[in-house]
Amino acid sequence: MDFNSYQQLAQLTDRVPSKSAGGAGIDLMVPLLGLAGETGELLSEYKKHLRDGESHLMFKEKICEELGDLLWYIANVAEKSGLSLEDVAQKNLDKANGRWGHGDTSAVVFDESFPEQERLPRKFEIELGAVTVEGKVKIRMLMNDAQIGDYLTDNADDPDGYRFHDVFHLAYIAVLGWSPVIRSLMKRKRRSVSNIDEVQDGGRAQVIDEAVAALVFDYAKEHNWLEGVTALDYKLLRTIKGVTSLLEVRARSPGEWQKAIILGFEVWRKVLSSNGGRLLIDQDSRSITYVGSVEPGTA
């Protein structure tokens, strides 16, 4: 039996249909309360199983019954909310696959069709090092011995390592093939197509890139800088997907964002501990690697 057929047949046994005279909202409240009640019944059966072990002979049958009751109430809520149970199931599978499954979209290369000078390099090395500028220590980013962007500090009263936040943008390039900020610093904006230059590589896209980095940094600060973390809060990933929904990076899955963020902080922690470092960014292997320390210098 398919989900939609089940959903329609289940309505034949609904004692509080949508046009009930019980008043607005009661038709939906009943199945919602039913879901809560049946969840409790399911937990009760598992409690008995933990207590009685193999002597709880009807455990499998009772679990089947309680799951069936839950399915009935889920179908009822879907029907009264104007939803197809089959669509609900498919969207849930898509969501789970995007985060935990085979959500690999690396075949989509955002700048593949553009001239070489407008493409992000597939593999390159970056050096982040501390330099003294007019008596103040700042961070300089070099590529092929040429400086990229301005000198950076933490921009905070309490030093927290944000001066190395370009690591996050580089991780986005490695895993997602995307970072309007780094593309602009490298002077690799896709000017040959005016709309792409304006929308995908322009100021708004760069602000969003920086905003995502700041948002994740604040989240990581509250979670031990993601050390030992293997999964991020789905609400954070959903927020990132939301704020980037108008940009080409919307093609990347929540799972790919999660990989980029966790990998970025793994490298960032190493860079922070050594106050700089050389990084290898490889889009083909979707990796960013800390490859060594650097000596402090003077600008």
Side-chain angles (χ1 to χ4, degrees), residues 10 36 74 94 101 106 126 174 220 231 236 240 261 289:
I74 289 171
D94 292 343
S106 59
I126 289 289
L236 173 67
I240 293 171
I261 291 167
T289 310

Side-chain angles (χ1 to χ4, degrees), residues 65-274:
E65 179 183 346
E66 300 304 338
L67 288 176
D69 290 342
L70 282 167
L71 184 59
W72 189 96
Y73 283 117
I74 289 171
N76 199 252
V77 171
E79 180 73 17
K80 290 171 179 175
S81 301
L83 298 169
S84 158
L85 192 57
E86 189 166 320
D87 288 344
V88 170
Q90 185 60 58
K91 288 179 180 178
N92 179 259
L93 286 177
D94 292 343
K95 171 185 173 181
N97 188 61
R99 187 175 182 190
W100 305 112
H102 305 291
D104 183 350
T105 66
S106 59
V108 179
V109 180
F110 300 130
D111 56 10
E112 186 175 29
S113 62
F114 288 82
E116 183 178 356
Q117 66 272 19
E118 295 183 0
R119 297 198 300 265
L120 292 169
R122 301 298 299 175
K123 188 174 183 178
F124 59 99
E125 190 170 299
I126 289 289
E127 180 179 304
L128 294 172
V131 294
T132 302
V133 182
E134 298 178 350
K136 186 173 183 179
V137 176
K138 300 183 178 184
I139 300 304
R140 176 177 62 186
M141 180 162 62
L142 300 176
M143 179 178 176
N144 298 327
D145 295 324
Q147 182 168 341
I148 300 176
D150 299 325
Y151 296 109
L152 296 178
T153 67
D154 283 333
N155 297 125
D157 293 327
D158 182 20
D160 56 8
Y162 198 72
R163 61 192 180 277
F164 293 115
H165 81 280
D166 279 333
V167 171
F168 310 137
H169 300 303
L170 294 168
Y172 301 160
I173 290 179
V175 179
L176 309 173
W178 176 86
S179 175
V181 167
I182 299 298
R183 187 182 290 277
S184 177
L185 294 179
M186 286 185 175
K187 303 188 186 307
R188 302 240 176 172
K189 294 182 68 178
R190 291 164 286 183
R191 299 188 186 278
S192 59
V193 179
S194 60
N195 185 62
I196 296 294
D197 180 31
E198 178 183 356
V199 177
Q200 302 298 338
D201 300 344
R204 183 175 179 180
Q206 293 175 47
V207 167
I208 291 173
D209 190 0
E210 290 286 12
V212 169
L215 173 68
V216 175
F217 190 83
D218 186 64
Y219 173 87
K221 185 183 291 187
E222 301 298 322
H223 295 82
N224 195 32
W225 301 118
L226 304 188
E227 187 166 6
V229 171
T230 58
L232 303 177
D233 188 331
Y234 188 71
K235 290 182 180 179
L236 173 67
L237 298 174
R238 187 169 58 190
T239 298
I240 293 171
K241 288 289 290 179
V243 300
T244 60
S245 62
L246 299 179
L247 301 174
E248 60 192 358
V249 75
R250 65 181 176 273
R252 302 307 186 212
S253 70
E256 290 170 309
W257 269 106
Q258 179 171 269
K259 178 181 177 180
I261 291 167
I262 291 176
L263 184 58
F265 271 92
E266 179 183 322
V267 173
W268 175 85
R269 292 192 300 270
K270 295 177 181 177
V271 170
L272 181 64
S273 67
S274 57

